[in-house]
Structure formats: structure tokens, C-alpha cells
Amino acid sequence: MDKGCWKGTLVLVVVLVSTYAEASSSWHMDDFIKAVKQVEDGDPGSEPVAVLRRLRGAAGLNDAFIQHFLGNADSSGPEMNSNLSVYINRAVHHRVTEDAKEEGVVLTPDGTTVALAPLLLGIEAGLLSKTTGRVRGLYQLTLAKDLHSSPLTQHLGPDGCWDSVTSPQVFTLLDSPSMLTTAQVNGVMDGVVLGMEVSTKSRRPAKLSDLLMEYYCHQLESKGLDAAPRLISRRRRENFRGLVAPPVLARQVVKSVELWRTLKGRSKMDVKKGKQLMAVVKEGMKGFTHKYMDCPPFIPRCMWGAEPYRGTPTNLSLPLSFMFIHHTHTPGKPCLTFQQCSADMRSMQRFHQEDRGWNDIGYSFVAGSDGNIYEGRGWHWQGAHTLGHNSVGFGVSFIGNYAASLPSQHSMGLVRDQLASRAIGGGRLVANFTLQGHRQVVNTSCPGDALYNEIRGWEHYGEVEK
């Protein structure tokens, strides 16, 4: 169990005997799991489906579309504590305010933010399934429900940042909101993955709180994700990618629009409008697939606690032609949690700004062993990573010293395959870019002998021209 996620049974006992208002002081997945546990303890022996229906009732997730697949929300059972009911409603009811604050989302131990509504709807649909691997309404309830009015016609995202990662209260989007924020997509992916998992009778949990704890609170060991279980939140993208295909998602979105029209008493779309809608959805699905299925999860600067850039950044002229691979050397050990990786990023930034006198952390991006890519100077600001070559390439570093050992296979895959794919697809790297180790163009041992020998076998690796 992750150290940042519910420190043991003793803590749980203390929490449950304290007042609920004190136990739910922030919007963290820890707090939501505690709320679920309190609902379960208020009605001992209740099945997970019954708990989900009570949560859905408290949250007001009971419109005609949801009832079509899941039935009416359950208001029976013991009376719910008023503070608990208010908390659940606020935690699950999703909306984006005019000032770009996103509500109905929680911070998870892996550093990502998740909308709870699609997560819960997906799990409930899976538990109601009578056939393994076939879940009625799974994609309509998770992905398509909020897209019926304008499916995937706007830009996707954005992500956002919490006012505090230790006691998150307010989540603010980093750009103008679209029909589908990154937190919603995270909730969609988790809802689909867990919904499909529990559709198998042998994998149905005894308690909803146990399912959420196992999924969100797993503590990685020394080998990171290479030795981690399949069903954990850090693997949501690869699990989701393995379950769904873009054409299937596109059809489900169109079906949801048709269902909404039926439920509202409107006539069925004619063939021409149906084809036009499918064309729009298919085009939008390309961006969805690239951003959320092909690309790695990014932790933005504000989430790892970056200090401001000192001075005025120099903008890069994109697309670039090179990617330079580094290791940090110091910190010398891989980071396995969002908390430790963030601390390492802050430490490196302090060293680069205070000791070396640079304007910011030198790297463009940094790969942790927790399953995330951390934003350094990013796609647009020129870095300070590869002397004499900062204007022509991105500098990507792995946290740790890799003179004698390698980063995890998972973290190397994030950089080699997914980060490169995102860069090419977004017009940041040319398709035939050259990948090189730091030592190839600067007199240094970086990125370490072991890692350098590894990248020599990667696609796009290139020798320095004499």
C-alpha cells in the first residue's frame, strides 16, 4: 500500500471514530475511499452494487440516460449522515465553473486527477453484467454520456493543477475547458478498466472500498512498474488501450446521441445526419486516441511544485530534429512515487538555479519510475541540457544513476515509444528525428554506460557525423 494512501488499519480506525468533517478535509482519493467505507459500515453486509446505488443517489446521478442502463438510484437503507451525503454529492457531481475550476474530481496517489462520476458508473455497469467481458452501457455511461451535445468537436483536455498536493481543495484547469477534460478521461479509463474487470464473477470484490484501495494505493517495489500488478491506476492507459478500439468508441458515442434523442422524445436522425455525426466523431477520435492512448501521462510543472522561470524563456523553433538522452546521476536512485519524483524534480531545479545559475531546471522532460513523465521546460522553452545543442533538440532525462544498471523497462518505453510519438504527432519533432546520448556531443559520462549502450539499439539512434 502506498505510503501516501491511507497509512494502515490503525489510521483507519482513528479516522472512523473522528467526525466526518475532519476526515474529509481535502479532495483526495484517500478521503473518498474513507467516505465509501463509512457508507459500507453504515449498512453492514451490503453488496457493492447497493453501495454504488446509494452513492449515485447522494450524488444525484439518476437522469433518464443513467436509469436506462443502471435503473433507479437507491434511496433505501440506513439514513446517511448529512455531512457524508453533502461530501459525496460534492465529490461526485462534475462541473467546470466559469473561472475554470473543475469540481467532482479527486487527486489520486499516482499524481493524476480523476473524475469520480464515470469511474463509479463504469464499475456499477460492470457489476450488473451477466456476461463476462460484455458490459451493457459501459462506454455510453463513461465516455459518451457527456458528449451527446457536441461530441469531440472541441480540443481535448486540458489537465490542471491543485492548490496543494498534500491537502487539495481547488483544482484549476490550465487552459480553456473542453467537452472532455483530462480528469474526465482518467475517470473514463478507470471506469472502463474496472467495469470490465468486475464483469467477471470471480473478480467481483466483496467491498467497493477494497477495490478502490487495491487499484489506487498499490506501493511499487524496487523494479517499479516492471514487477507491478496489472490492475493498478498507474497502468490505466495501457489497460484501457488493450480493451478498446477507436472504431468501437466512435460507434458508442453515436449510439449515445441516438439514445438521448429517443429519451427526449425527438425523432431519429436521418441517414445523412447520422453519417455526418459519425464523420465528426471519427475525426475527433483520432485526437483522443493520440493524446490518451498513445501518449504517456504528464505531470505539469505546477503539480511537482516548480519555481517560476527566472527571466524570459527563449522559445524553440519547432519541429526540432534531435532528442538527447540523459540520466540525473544525482538523485542517484529511481523514484517510485509521485511524491518522491516531485521532490527529486524540485531538488534538481534548486541545483540548476542556485548552484549553476541557470534560469530553470535544464531538462525538457524527466522520466520517473512511477509511470509518469515530468514536465521540465516542456515543448516550447529552450533548455539547458546539452551544451551547444539546446536549440535543436529536447533533453530527456531519467531520474537515477545508470552507469551500471538500467531504468525500468516501463519508463524506457514511455520515452522511447510514447513520448517520441507525442512529439512527432504534435509537430514538435520531425518524423525522422535523431536520438543521441548526452556523451555523444558533450564531454561527459552521461547518460551512464548501461543506459547509453541500451539506447544504441533504439529506433532513431544516430551516430555523430564526423
Side-chain angles (χ1 to χ4, degrees):
M1 189 181 301
D2 196 306
K3 292 180 181 178
C5 189
W6 218 351
K7 302 179 182 66
T9 305
L10 180 60
V11 174
L12 172 60
V13 173
V14 173
V15 167
L16 292 178
V17 298
S18 63
T19 64
Y20 188 78
E22 292 173 337
S24 59
S25 59
S26 68
W27 300 113
H28 196 283
M29 181 59 78
D30 292 26
D31 293 319
F32 182 70
I33 295 175
K34 293 167 189 171
V36 172
K37 186 69 168 67
Q38 189 164 346
V39 173
E40 292 169 339
D41 290 350
D43 189 11
S46 54
E47 295 291 329
V49 167
V51 173
L52 282 159
R53 283 177 172 163
R54 294 198 70 202
L55 294 173
R56 185 154 57 89
L61 290 177
N62 201 36
D63 59 34
F65 188 90
I66 294 173
Q67 288 188 37
H68 177 81
F69 295 106
L70 303 180
N72 196 19
D74 192 357
S75 58
S76 63
E79 184 177 355
M80 192 178 295
N81 175 287
S82 60
N83 287 335
L84 177 60
S85 179
V86 169
Y87 171 77
I88 291 170
N89 182 275
R90 291 188 59 198
V92 179
H93 180 69
H94 184 268
R95 75 183 188 114
V96 177
T97 65
E98 292 183 357
D99 57 348
K101 302 293 190 296
E102 188 171 10
E103 300 175 352
V105 298
V106 296
L107 175 64
T108 69
D110 65 22
T112 56
T113 298
V114 171
L116 290 172
L119 164 67
L120 298 178
L121 293 174
I123 295 173
E124 187 173 347
L127 290 170
L128 292 175
S129 173
K130 296 179 180 179
T131 305
T132 298
R134 296 182 63 183
V135 181
R136 178 175 177 267
L138 181 61
Y139 301 111
Q140 291 99 321
L141 289 165
T142 53
L143 174 63
K145 180 182 181 299
D146 295 321
L147 299 179
H148 58 85
S149 61
S150 182
L152 296 174
T153 56
Q154 302 182 32
H155 70 281
L156 290 162
D159 204 345
C161 281
W162 290 94
D163 55 337
S164 166
V165 296
T166 56
S167 181
Q169 303 284 346
V170 179
F171 187 70
T172 304
L173 296 174
L174 293 170
D175 200 354
S176 301
S178 72
M179 288 297 296
L180 207 60
T181 67
T182 294
Q184 284 178 285
V185 175
N186 287 335
V188 166
M189 290 190 283
D190 290 347
V192 168
V193 169
L194 291 177
M196 195 67 75
E197 184 73 12
V198 300
S199 71
T200 302
K201 290 183 179 180
S202 63
R203 295 175 184 168
R204 290 178 181 173
K207 291 186 176 182
L208 175 63
S209 58
D210 291 342
L211 176 69
L212 297 176
M213 283 183 64
E214 291 172 5
Y215 186 73
Y216 289 106
C217 305
H218 178 79
Q219 183 176 350
L220 296 178
E221 297 179 353
S222 59
K223 293 185 178 180
L225 282 168
D226 289 354
R230 175 185 62 85
L231 196 69
I232 58 174
S233 62
R234 290 177 177 89
R235 294 190 184 277
R236 64 166 60 87
R237 293 193 181 208
E238 61 192 84
N239 284 329
F240 184 74
R241 187 168 58 244
L243 287 173
V244 300
V248 173
L249 293 179
R251 288 197 296 271
Q252 296 300 331
V253 171
V254 172
K255 283 185 177 181
S256 75
V257 175
E258 294 172 340
L259 175 59
W260 266 112
R261 293 178 66 92
T262 300
L263 293 173
K264 301 239 180 226
R266 299 173 62 182
S267 60
K268 187 176 181 179
M269 282 187 295
D270 59 38
V271 175
K272 182 178 180 180
K273 286 185 178 180
K275 289 182 177 180
Q276 290 174 340
L277 174 62
M278 178 59 79
V280 169
V281 172
K282 283 184 175 180
E283 185 62 30
M285 197 57 66
K286 293 179 182 178
F288 177 90
T289 300
H290 177 67
K291 185 167 185 175
Y292 295 113
M293 296 173 71
D294 297 336
C295 298
F298 286 87
I299 299 296
R301 291 171 60 90
C302 51
M303 281 295 288
W304 59 261
E307 291 293 323
Y309 189 100
R310 295 180 178 178
T312 302
T314 299
N315 288 325
L316 292 165
S317 180
L318 304 177
L320 304 185
S321 300
F322 291 87
M323 179 184 289
F324 300 106
I325 301 298
H326 301 248
H327 72 163
T328 62
H329 191 274
T330 304
K333 294 182 179 181
C335 58
L336 298 172
T337 66
F338 163 66
Q339 292 79 8
Q340 184 58 54
C341 292
S342 296
D344 288 346
M345 291 294 291
R346 294 192 297 270
S347 174
M348 287 187 287
Q349 186 186 43
R350 284 194 300 271
F351 175 70
H352 289 173
Q353 288 184 321
E354 302 298 334
D355 291 51
R356 293 193 169 177
W358 298 349
N359 294 325
D360 195 5
I361 189 170
Y363 306 118
S364 306
F365 296 96
V366 179
S369 292
D370 64 333
N372 293 317
I373 298 290
Y374 288 77
E375 181 188 25
R377 299 205 190 186
W379 297 119
H380 300 288
W381 294 352
Q382 181 174 306
H385 46 79
T386 312
L387 186 63
H389 298 75
N390 293 315
S391 64
V392 297
F394 297 107
V396 182
S397 189
F398 291 85
I399 292 180
N401 182 346
Y402 297 107
S405 62
L406 287 174
S408 69
Q409 292 296 319
H410 188 276
S411 63
M412 288 192 293
L414 289 181
V415 173
R416 180 188 61 236
D417 304 322
Q418 294 179 275
L419 182 64
S421 172
R422 174 71 183 272
I424 294 170
R428 283 106 178 198
L429 270 179
V430 296
N432 62 341
F433 77 93
T434 300
L435 181 143
Q436 293 180 331
H438 187 193
R439 65 172 61 182
Q440 290 179 260
V441 290
V442 176
N443 184 19
T444 176
S445 63
C446 180
D449 289 347
L451 181 54
Y452 177 62
N453 289 332
E454 166 71 21
I455 68 170
R456 293 176 69 182
W458 290 9
E459 185 181 4
H460 294 284
Y461 172 81
E463 296 287 354
V464 176
E465 295 183 7
K466 303 295 185 182

